[in-house]
Amino acid sequence: MVMPPEAPSRVPAQLMTGLGWVGLIVLVLLVGWTAMTFRQQIATVWPQSASLYSALGVKTNATGIDIRDVSYQFKNQDGQRVLVVSGVLDNQTTRELPVPQIRVALIDDDRHELYHWNFVPGVMTLKTGQTSKFSTRLTDPPAGARHFELRFAKAGE
């Protein structure tokens, strides 16, 4: 008696397809986890990625240096009103970083910028874990200024 040839089994093909999908899902999850876990390091090395993280609602710092403990006060010096803005720069990365200029913008209640200035914070670089205090002054700030924004200046600003 002659037996008909056996039909090729579909189980290995379906198994391979399923394993392929599982592998792809694991790979996508691994890339996503890595991108979120190491977002600060990625943004420091590749500053353009900061806008992608921002669009996703995730905070990053492309410079790698945090501006913290910011405060302001008005003083009277030689009969003129003086705005003093101060704070601390903090390098929390694993490498020494250059310190860019800082930009201060004075804003009115309608969120319009009235005046801005850039200043050099007093240190050229910050080593790993190093902090540095900064302070800047503006004589006779605009009367309509109600808020201020502080950030690192972009190239050409």
Side-chain angles (χ1 to χ4, degrees), residues 73-129:
Q73 61 182 355
F74 289 98
K75 293 184 176 185
N76 193 350
Q77 186 176 23
D78 298 327
Q80 290 189 321
R81 188 172 174 213
V82 177
L83 170 64
V84 180
V85 179
S86 59
V88 175
L89 300 174
D90 186 4
N91 179 0
Q92 295 185 345
T93 67
T94 58
R95 61 190 174 110
E96 185 173 353
L97 295 173
V99 179
Q101 288 188 352
I102 297 176
R103 182 180 193 272
V104 182
L106 300 179
I107 313 288
D108 67 11
D109 281 333
D110 294 327
R111 307 306 290 168
H112 295 110
E113 183 177 297
L114 301 176
Y115 184 79
H116 76 269
W117 75 98
N118 294 351
F119 69 96
V120 177
V123 292
M124 298 303 290
T125 63
L126 284 176
K127 293 181 179 8
T128 299

Side-chain angles (χ1 to χ4, degrees), residues 15-71:
L15 181 62
M16 294 305 288
T17 301
L19 287 175
W21 279 109
V22 169
L24 179 63
I25 291 168
V26 168
L27 180 64
V28 167
L29 290 174
L30 183 62
V31 168
W33 176 83
T34 302
M36 294 306 289
T37 302
F38 299 103
R39 67 183 174 271
Q40 187 56 53
Q41 293 87 339
I42 292 169
T44 301
V45 173
W46 185 32
Q48 297 86 345
S49 67
S51 60
L52 173 63
Y53 284 111
S54 179
L56 295 173
V58 179
K59 184 180 176 186
T60 60
N61 180 345
T63 64
I65 298 174
D66 288 331
I67 301 174
R68 60 179 176 83
D69 301 336
V70 175
S71 64

